[in-house]
């Protein structure tokens, strides 16, 4: 007890200290009227006047309904008088605000209740430490002081026990230790022996006398006159007025009551977070099934956000991979305007040569395909032949896996050479033999195989290009097709940033050559834009559905927090009696709501990842984003905070007296 400290007046409240000319507590004409649910006014206190000097041990005695408990609530700043003045340390506090009264309770008053009023899920150590949390004492100091108090009261071995693991006498001693935690100069004991057997009751009264001898001002509320005789002064109440006052009996000079000091004006955020987390875990585990059902909306909402974003991102990457295979630097010039009423001038190899002269052109690849039958030995394979130029590997960024692609010299000479696609090679040479240097028959015309292309996949969206046979354009026109009319010319550019300018230049050139715009020009950027816009729209729509689910989950969180406020009303009253201000209670319940939602967010993240992974294995590629997961959890916490405001404010507005008396 020697470590108690002096109260701070930084919060705008008087220190609980009496002076030579001013009593510690002074009530003048105190009246208290309650209005029943039926609108009937009941006057409980009828002009009570009383002075209490520092160090006194006073018993206020009276039968049930005499007003003694109401008087104690006003003395302890748990309630306000309807009329009259109440001075603490010389200053009138009857008009102080709620937070100022809470600060005064925290600094100056310790409460010992008939039914102990311990928080059920908290240990003895945690119950004793509670007032110091609201006073802002550091954790190490709180733990040491609480341990010393429990040790002194014979409960050193019970620090980790919860109230239901202790006898009534032990619980009452814990409540006394809690009352002393902040070094309160005034101890208010409301029927402290009423729920105890005679032996435990005697022990508690002895403790109160010891506290009085040490300098504390003790005010004992009791209906038992034998208990009241332990006090130095007995005040009797009847029907809301004081009818007798024995006056103080001579007693040895008391040591001045030690006071707390270095008390901070507010509770640290981390302290709040730890306390809120502990309280939230207790509340959640006490009603696990209900909590799981309530959090289902949050879990599903977060899981939906993560899974849908993963699917959307995966789909985007698939599209981009296909487009990337085509090449983002490509321009497609197609024969025909698309209007059947207009005449069409075919594209020619000369058009391609003219395009190659334009700035920013990397390569020009004519495209002329036809159906063919390719044979090797006794194996026939029906596929597509592509008559093109030696620019194909450059244009499509498509390497040759074996051998080499045909050259421009082969084009000029009309050489009967061919390069096989990956799948054609597997069909014609199933034994894995190399086709290089061998001849295959293309429509019964022998062609020398000079190379095999690397596996590429679908370039056009409707054909497997690994099943093509590539031959020089001149050879294809002369030996297989007969007409040099090109359906398509593929152009690659050096600088993608100038792609639109180059596309316009090609349009201008061909319009001049053909004297009309009888062609179409497309590029991959349009396909990318259209595909990504479609994917973004679908992701947005699905994301909206997920957000709605989150909001529904938020309503569930608000419901569970409202129920929690109702179930924990007495706990809220206990915290207020220990010095918690309205904003401390509000902050605690807000943090509990955030924690509950955060747990739902984490569970939803796990579910979303598992669901997305299953979809990735069974249906389509998915891509997870750490940013999206963190954002989903943060959104869940934000939803919890938003929907936790109403329950938190309801808890903060509870009347301490009404909260303490709730069942």
């Amino acid at each position: 007890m020697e470590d108690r400290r002096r109260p701070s007046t930084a919060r705008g409240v008087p220190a609980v200290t009496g002076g030579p000319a001013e009593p510690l507590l002074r009530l003048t004409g105190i009246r208290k009227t309650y209005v029943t649910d039926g609108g009937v006014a009941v006057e409980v206190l009828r002009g009570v006047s009383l002075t209490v000097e520092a160090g006194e041990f006073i018993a206020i005695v009276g039968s049930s309904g005499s007003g003694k408990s109401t008087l104690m609530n006003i003395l302890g700043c748990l309630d306000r008088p309807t009329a009259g003045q109440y001075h603490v340390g010389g200053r009138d506090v009857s008009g102080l605000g709620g937070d100022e009264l809470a600060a005064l309770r925290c600094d100056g008053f310790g409460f010992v209740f008939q039914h102990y009023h311990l928080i059920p899920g908290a240990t003895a150590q945690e119950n004793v430490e509670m007032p110091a949390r609201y006073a802002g004492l550091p954790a190490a100091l709180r733990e040491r002081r609480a341990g010393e108090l429990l040790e002194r009261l014979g409960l050193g071995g019970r620090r980790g026990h919860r109230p239901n693991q202790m006898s009534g006498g032990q619980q009452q001693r814990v409540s006394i230790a809690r009352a002393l935690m902040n070094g309160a100069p005034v101890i208010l004991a409301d029927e402290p022996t009423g729920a105890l057997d005679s032996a435990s009751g005697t022990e508690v009264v002895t403790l109160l006398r010891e506290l009085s001898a040490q300098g504390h001002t003790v005010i004992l509320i009791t209906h038992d006159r034998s208990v009241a005789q332990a006090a130095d002064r007995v005040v009797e109440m009847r029907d809301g007025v004081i009818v007798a006052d024995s006056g103080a009996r001579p007693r040895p000079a008391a040591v001045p009551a030690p006071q707390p000091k270095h008390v901070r004006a507010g509770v640290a955020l981390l302290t709040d977070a730890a306390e809120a987390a502990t309280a939230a875990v207790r509340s959640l585990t006490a009603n696990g099934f209900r909590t799981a059902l309530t959090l289902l909306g949050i879990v599903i909402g977060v899981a939906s956000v993560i899974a849908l974003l993963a699917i959307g991102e995966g789909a985007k990457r698939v599209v981009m991979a296909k487009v990337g295979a085509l090449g983002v630097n490509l321009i497609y010039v197609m024969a025909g305007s698309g209007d059947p009423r207009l005449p069409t001038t075919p594209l020619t190899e000369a058009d391609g040569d003219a395009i190659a002269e334009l700035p920013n052109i990397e390569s020009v690849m004519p495209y002329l395909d036809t159906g063919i039958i390719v044979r090797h030995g006794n194996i026939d394979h029906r596929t597509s032949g592509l008559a093109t130029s030696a620019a194909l590997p450059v244009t499509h960024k498509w390497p040759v896996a074996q051998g080499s692609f045909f050259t421009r010299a082969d084009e000029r000479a009309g050489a009967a050479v061919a390069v096989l696609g990956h799948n054609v090679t597997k069909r014609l040479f199933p034994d894995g033999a190399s086709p290089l240097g061998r001849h295959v028959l293309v429509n019964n015309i022998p062609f020398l195989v000079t190379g095999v292309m690397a596996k590429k996949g679908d370039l056009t969206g409707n054909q497997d290009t690994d099943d093509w046979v590539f031959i020089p354009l001149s050879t294809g026109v002369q030996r297989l097709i007969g007409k040099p009319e090109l359906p398509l010319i593929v152009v690659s550019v050096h600088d993608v940033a100038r792609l639109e300018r180059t596309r316009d230049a090609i349009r201008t050139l061909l319009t001049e050559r053909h004297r009309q715009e009888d062609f179409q020009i497309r590029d991959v950027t349009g396909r990318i834009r259209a595909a990504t816009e479609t994917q973004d729209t679908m992701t947005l729509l699905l994301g909206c559905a997920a957000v709605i689910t989150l909001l529904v989950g938020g309503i569930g969180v608000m419901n569970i927090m409202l129920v929690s406020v109702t179930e924990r009303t007495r706990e809220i009253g206990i915290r207020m009696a220990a010095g918690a201000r309205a904003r401390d209670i509000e902050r605690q319940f807000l943090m509990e709501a955030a924690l509950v939602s955060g747990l739902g967010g984490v569970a939803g993240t796990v579910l979303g990842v598992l669901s997305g992974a299953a979809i990735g294995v069974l249906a389509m590629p998915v891509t997870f984003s750490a940013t999206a997961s963190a954002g989903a959890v943060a959104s869940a916490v934000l939803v919890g905070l938003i929907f936790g405001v109403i329950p938190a404010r309801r808890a903060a507005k509870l009347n301490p007296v009404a909260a303490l008396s709730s069942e």
Side-chain angles (χ1 to χ4, degrees), residues 316-352:
K316 279 185 184 179
R317 294 201 177 190
V318 169
V319 171
M320 292 302 295
K322 289 187 176 182
V323 172
L326 287 166
V328 294
N329 66 331
L330 300 185
I331 298 173
Y332 297 85
V333 183
M334 296 169 286
S337 64
D339 188 343
R341 296 172 296 177
L342 298 178
T344 300
T345 302
L347 295 172
T348 64
E349 191 173 0
D351 289 330

Short mmCIF file of all heavy atoms in Angstrom, two decimals, residues 316-352:
data_model
loop_
_atom_site.label_atom_id
_atom_site.label_comp_id
_atom_site.label_asym_id
_atom_site.label_seq_id
_atom_site.Cartn_x
_atom_site.Cartn_y
_atom_site.Cartn_z
N LYS A 316 -8.36 -12.54 -66.43
CA LYS A 316 -7.62 -11.47 -67.12
C LYS A 316 -6.27 -11.97 -67.61
O LYS A 316 -5.84 -11.67 -68.73
CB LYS A 316 -7.40 -10.29 -66.17
CG LYS A 316 -8.59 -9.36 -66.02
CD LYS A 316 -8.19 -8.17 -65.16
CE LYS A 316 -9.39 -7.27 -64.92
NZ LYS A 316 -9.02 -6.11 -64.06
N ARG A 317 -5.60 -12.72 -66.76
CA ARG A 317 -4.27 -13.19 -67.14
C ARG A 317 -4.34 -14.21 -68.28
O ARG A 317 -3.44 -14.26 -69.13
CB ARG A 317 -3.58 -13.81 -65.92
CG ARG A 317 -3.29 -12.77 -64.86
CD ARG A 317 -2.20 -13.21 -63.92
NE ARG A 317 -1.90 -12.17 -62.94
CZ ARG A 317 -0.88 -12.20 -62.12
NH1 ARG A 317 -0.04 -13.24 -62.13
NH2 ARG A 317 -0.66 -11.21 -61.26
N VAL A 318 -5.41 -15.01 -68.30
CA VAL A 318 -5.59 -15.94 -69.42
C VAL A 318 -5.76 -15.16 -70.71
O VAL A 318 -5.15 -15.46 -71.74
CB VAL A 318 -6.80 -16.86 -69.17
CG1 VAL A 318 -7.14 -17.64 -70.44
CG2 VAL A 318 -6.51 -17.83 -68.04
N VAL A 319 -6.63 -14.12 -70.64
CA VAL A 319 -6.85 -13.29 -71.83
C VAL A 319 -5.55 -12.63 -72.25
O VAL A 319 -5.19 -12.61 -73.44
CB VAL A 319 -7.94 -12.24 -71.55
CG1 VAL A 319 -8.02 -11.24 -72.69
CG2 VAL A 319 -9.28 -12.90 -71.34
N MET A 320 -4.84 -12.09 -71.28
CA MET A 320 -3.60 -11.40 -71.61
C MET A 320 -2.55 -12.36 -72.16
O MET A 320 -1.76 -11.98 -73.02
CB MET A 320 -3.06 -10.69 -70.37
CG MET A 320 -3.91 -9.52 -69.90
SD MET A 320 -4.13 -8.27 -71.17
CE MET A 320 -2.46 -7.68 -71.37
N ALA A 321 -2.58 -13.60 -71.66
CA ALA A 321 -1.63 -14.59 -72.18
C ALA A 321 -1.92 -14.90 -73.64
O ALA A 321 -1.01 -15.01 -74.48
CB ALA A 321 -1.70 -15.86 -71.34
N LYS A 322 -3.23 -15.04 -73.95
CA LYS A 322 -3.59 -15.32 -75.35
C LYS A 322 -3.27 -14.14 -76.24
O LYS A 322 -2.74 -14.28 -77.34
CB LYS A 322 -5.08 -15.65 -75.44
CG LYS A 322 -5.45 -17.01 -74.86
CD LYS A 322 -6.90 -17.35 -75.12
CE LYS A 322 -7.23 -18.75 -74.61
NZ LYS A 322 -8.62 -19.13 -74.91
N VAL A 323 -3.59 -12.95 -75.73
CA VAL A 323 -3.29 -11.75 -76.50
C VAL A 323 -1.78 -11.58 -76.63
O VAL A 323 -1.27 -11.16 -77.66
CB VAL A 323 -3.93 -10.52 -75.85
CG1 VAL A 323 -3.47 -9.25 -76.54
CG2 VAL A 323 -5.44 -10.62 -75.92
N GLY A 324 -1.07 -11.92 -75.54
CA GLY A 324 0.37 -11.84 -75.60
C GLY A 324 0.96 -12.78 -76.62
O GLY A 324 1.98 -12.48 -77.25
N ALA A 325 0.29 -13.95 -76.80
CA ALA A 325 0.76 -14.88 -77.82
C ALA A 325 0.59 -14.27 -79.20
O ALA A 325 1.40 -14.47 -80.10
CB ALA A 325 -0.01 -16.19 -77.72
N LEU A 326 -0.51 -13.51 -79.37
CA LEU A 326 -0.70 -12.82 -80.63
C LEU A 326 0.33 -11.70 -80.79
O LEU A 326 0.76 -11.39 -81.90
CB LEU A 326 -2.11 -12.22 -80.69
CG LEU A 326 -3.26 -13.21 -80.89
CD1 LEU A 326 -4.58 -12.52 -80.59
CD2 LEU A 326 -3.26 -13.76 -82.29
N GLY A 327 0.67 -11.09 -79.71
CA GLY A 327 1.60 -9.97 -79.75
C GLY A 327 0.86 -8.66 -79.61
O GLY A 327 -0.03 -8.35 -80.41
N VAL A 328 1.23 -7.87 -78.61
CA VAL A 328 0.53 -6.61 -78.38
C VAL A 328 0.96 -5.55 -79.38
O VAL A 328 0.39 -4.46 -79.42
CB VAL A 328 0.77 -6.11 -76.95
CG1 VAL A 328 0.15 -7.05 -75.95
CG2 VAL A 328 2.26 -5.92 -76.68
N ASN A 329 1.99 -5.84 -80.21
CA ASN A 329 2.49 -4.86 -81.18
C ASN A 329 2.03 -5.17 -82.60
O ASN A 329 2.63 -4.72 -83.57
CB ASN A 329 4.01 -4.80 -81.12
CG ASN A 329 4.65 -6.11 -81.59
OD1 ASN A 329 4.06 -7.18 -81.44
ND2 ASN A 329 5.86 -6.02 -82.14
N LEU A 330 0.94 -5.94 -82.73
CA LEU A 330 0.50 -6.38 -84.04
C LEU A 330 -0.70 -5.59 -84.55
O LEU A 330 -1.57 -5.18 -83.78
CB LEU A 330 0.12 -7.86 -84.00
CG LEU A 330 1.24 -8.85 -83.60
CD1 LEU A 330 0.74 -10.28 -83.72
CD2 LEU A 330 2.48 -8.63 -84.45
N ILE A 331 -0.71 -5.38 -85.87
CA ILE A 331 -1.84 -4.77 -86.57
C ILE A 331 -2.29 -5.76 -87.63
O ILE A 331 -1.47 -6.32 -88.38
CB ILE A 331 -1.43 -3.44 -87.23
CG1 ILE A 331 -0.99 -2.43 -86.16
CG2 ILE A 331 -2.58 -2.86 -88.06
CD1 ILE A 331 -0.42 -1.14 -86.74
N TYR A 332 -3.59 -5.99 -87.72
CA TYR A 332 -4.16 -6.94 -88.67
C TYR A 332 -4.89 -6.18 -89.77
O TYR A 332 -5.84 -5.43 -89.49
CB TYR A 332 -5.12 -7.90 -87.97
CG TYR A 332 -4.45 -8.75 -86.92
CD1 TYR A 332 -4.28 -8.28 -85.62
CD2 TYR A 332 -3.97 -10.01 -87.25
CE1 TYR A 332 -3.64 -9.06 -84.67
CE2 TYR A 332 -3.33 -10.80 -86.30
CZ TYR A 332 -3.17 -10.31 -85.01
OH TYR A 332 -2.54 -11.07 -84.07
N VAL A 333 -4.43 -6.37 -91.00
CA VAL A 333 -5.07 -5.76 -92.17
C VAL A 333 -5.83 -6.87 -92.88
O VAL A 333 -5.22 -7.82 -93.38
CB VAL A 333 -4.05 -5.11 -93.10
CG1 VAL A 333 -4.75 -4.42 -94.27
CG2 VAL A 333 -3.17 -4.11 -92.34
N MET A 334 -7.17 -6.74 -92.94
CA MET A 334 -8.02 -7.80 -93.49
C MET A 334 -8.70 -7.33 -94.76
O MET A 334 -9.18 -6.18 -94.83
CB MET A 334 -9.07 -8.21 -92.46
CG MET A 334 -8.46 -8.82 -91.21
SD MET A 334 -9.67 -9.02 -89.87
CE MET A 334 -9.85 -7.32 -89.34
N ALA A 335 -8.75 -8.21 -95.75
CA ALA A 335 -9.40 -7.88 -97.01
C ALA A 335 -10.91 -7.79 -96.81
O ALA A 335 -11.49 -8.55 -96.02
CB ALA A 335 -9.07 -8.94 -98.06
N GLY A 336 -11.52 -6.85 -97.52
CA GLY A 336 -12.97 -6.71 -97.45
C GLY A 336 -13.37 -5.65 -96.44
O GLY A 336 -12.80 -5.55 -95.35
N SER A 337 -14.37 -4.84 -96.82
CA SER A 337 -14.84 -3.77 -95.95
C SER A 337 -15.84 -4.25 -94.93
O SER A 337 -16.17 -3.54 -93.99
CB SER A 337 -15.47 -2.65 -96.79
OG SER A 337 -16.63 -3.15 -97.46
N GLY A 338 -16.38 -5.46 -95.15
CA GLY A 338 -17.43 -5.96 -94.29
C GLY A 338 -18.81 -5.60 -94.80
O GLY A 338 -19.83 -6.07 -94.26
N ASP A 339 -18.88 -4.74 -95.83
CA ASP A 339 -20.16 -4.35 -96.43
C ASP A 339 -20.30 -5.09 -97.77
O ASP A 339 -19.56 -4.79 -98.72
CB ASP A 339 -20.19 -2.84 -96.63
CG ASP A 339 -21.56 -2.35 -97.07
OD1 ASP A 339 -22.38 -3.18 -97.50
OD2 ASP A 339 -21.81 -1.12 -96.95
N PRO A 340 -21.24 -6.03 -97.91
CA PRO A 340 -21.36 -6.81 -99.15
C PRO A 340 -21.77 -5.97 -100.36
O PRO A 340 -21.62 -6.42 -101.50
CB PRO A 340 -22.43 -7.85 -98.78
CG PRO A 340 -23.19 -7.25 -97.65
CD PRO A 340 -22.22 -6.42 -96.89
N ARG A 341 -22.24 -4.75 -100.14
CA ARG A 341 -22.66 -3.93 -101.27
C ARG A 341 -21.49 -3.24 -101.96
O ARG A 341 -21.63 -2.73 -103.07
CB ARG A 341 -23.64 -2.86 -100.78
CG ARG A 341 -24.94 -3.44 -100.20
CD ARG A 341 -25.76 -2.36 -99.55
NE ARG A 341 -25.06 -1.80 -98.39
CZ ARG A 341 -25.54 -0.78 -97.66
NH1 ARG A 341 -26.70 -0.23 -97.97
NH2 ARG A 341 -24.84 -0.33 -96.64
N LEU A 342 -20.34 -3.19 -101.30
CA LEU A 342 -19.18 -2.51 -101.86
C LEU A 342 -18.27 -3.51 -102.55
O LEU A 342 -18.08 -4.64 -102.08
CB LEU A 342 -18.41 -1.78 -100.76
CG LEU A 342 -19.17 -0.67 -100.01
CD1 LEU A 342 -18.28 -0.09 -98.93
CD2 LEU A 342 -19.62 0.43 -100.98
N PRO A 343 -17.67 -3.09 -103.67
CA PRO A 343 -16.70 -3.98 -104.34
C PRO A 343 -15.45 -4.15 -103.49
O PRO A 343 -15.10 -3.26 -102.70
CB PRO A 343 -16.40 -3.24 -105.66
CG PRO A 343 -16.69 -1.81 -105.36
CD PRO A 343 -17.84 -1.81 -104.39
N THR A 344 -14.77 -5.28 -103.67
CA THR A 344 -13.60 -5.58 -102.86
C THR A 344 -12.39 -5.75 -103.74
O THR A 344 -12.43 -6.50 -104.73
CB THR A 344 -13.81 -6.86 -102.05
OG1 THR A 344 -14.93 -6.68 -101.19
CG2 THR A 344 -12.59 -7.20 -101.21
N THR A 345 -11.33 -5.06 -103.37
CA THR A 345 -10.05 -5.25 -104.03
C THR A 345 -9.18 -6.11 -103.12
O THR A 345 -8.95 -5.74 -101.96
CB THR A 345 -9.35 -3.90 -104.27
OG1 THR A 345 -10.20 -3.08 -105.06
CG2 THR A 345 -8.02 -4.11 -104.98
N PRO A 346 -8.70 -7.27 -103.62
CA PRO A 346 -7.92 -8.15 -102.73
C PRO A 346 -6.62 -7.48 -102.29
O PRO A 346 -6.07 -6.61 -102.96
CB PRO A 346 -7.64 -9.37 -103.62
CG PRO A 346 -8.61 -9.29 -104.74
CD PRO A 346 -8.88 -7.84 -104.96
N LEU A 347 -6.16 -7.92 -101.13
CA LEU A 347 -4.84 -7.53 -100.68
C LEU A 347 -3.81 -8.35 -101.45
O LEU A 347 -4.03 -9.52 -101.78
CB LEU A 347 -4.69 -7.78 -99.17
CG LEU A 347 -5.58 -6.94 -98.25
CD1 LEU A 347 -5.45 -7.44 -96.81
CD2 LEU A 347 -5.22 -5.46 -98.32
N THR A 348 -2.66 -7.74 -101.72
CA THR A 348 -1.62 -8.42 -102.47
C THR A 348 -0.29 -8.33 -101.74
O THR A 348 -0.14 -7.56 -100.78
CB THR A 348 -1.46 -7.79 -103.87
OG1 THR A 348 -1.01 -6.44 -103.71
CG2 THR A 348 -2.80 -7.80 -104.62
N GLU A 349 0.66 -9.10 -102.25
CA GLU A 349 2.00 -9.05 -101.68
C GLU A 349 2.62 -7.68 -101.88
O GLU A 349 3.38 -7.21 -101.02
CB GLU A 349 2.87 -10.12 -102.35
CG GLU A 349 4.20 -10.34 -101.65
CD GLU A 349 4.97 -11.52 -102.21
OE1 GLU A 349 4.47 -12.18 -103.15
OE2 GLU A 349 6.07 -11.79 -101.69
N ALA A 350 2.22 -6.99 -102.97
CA ALA A 350 2.71 -5.62 -103.22
C ALA A 350 2.21 -4.67 -102.15
O ALA A 350 2.92 -3.74 -101.74
CB ALA A 350 2.27 -5.15 -104.60
N ASP A 351 0.96 -4.89 -101.66
CA ASP A 351 0.45 -4.07 -100.56
C ASP A 351 1.34 -4.25 -99.32
O ASP A 351 1.66 -3.29 -98.61
CB ASP A 351 -0.99 -4.45 -100.21
CG ASP A 351 -1.98 -4.02 -101.29
OD1 ASP A 351 -1.71 -3.01 -101.95
OD2 ASP A 351 -3.01 -4.69 -101.44
N GLY A 352 1.73 -5.49 -99.07
CA GLY A 352 2.60 -5.75 -97.93
C GLY A 352 3.94 -5.08 -98.07
O GLY A 352 4.50 -4.53 -97.11
#
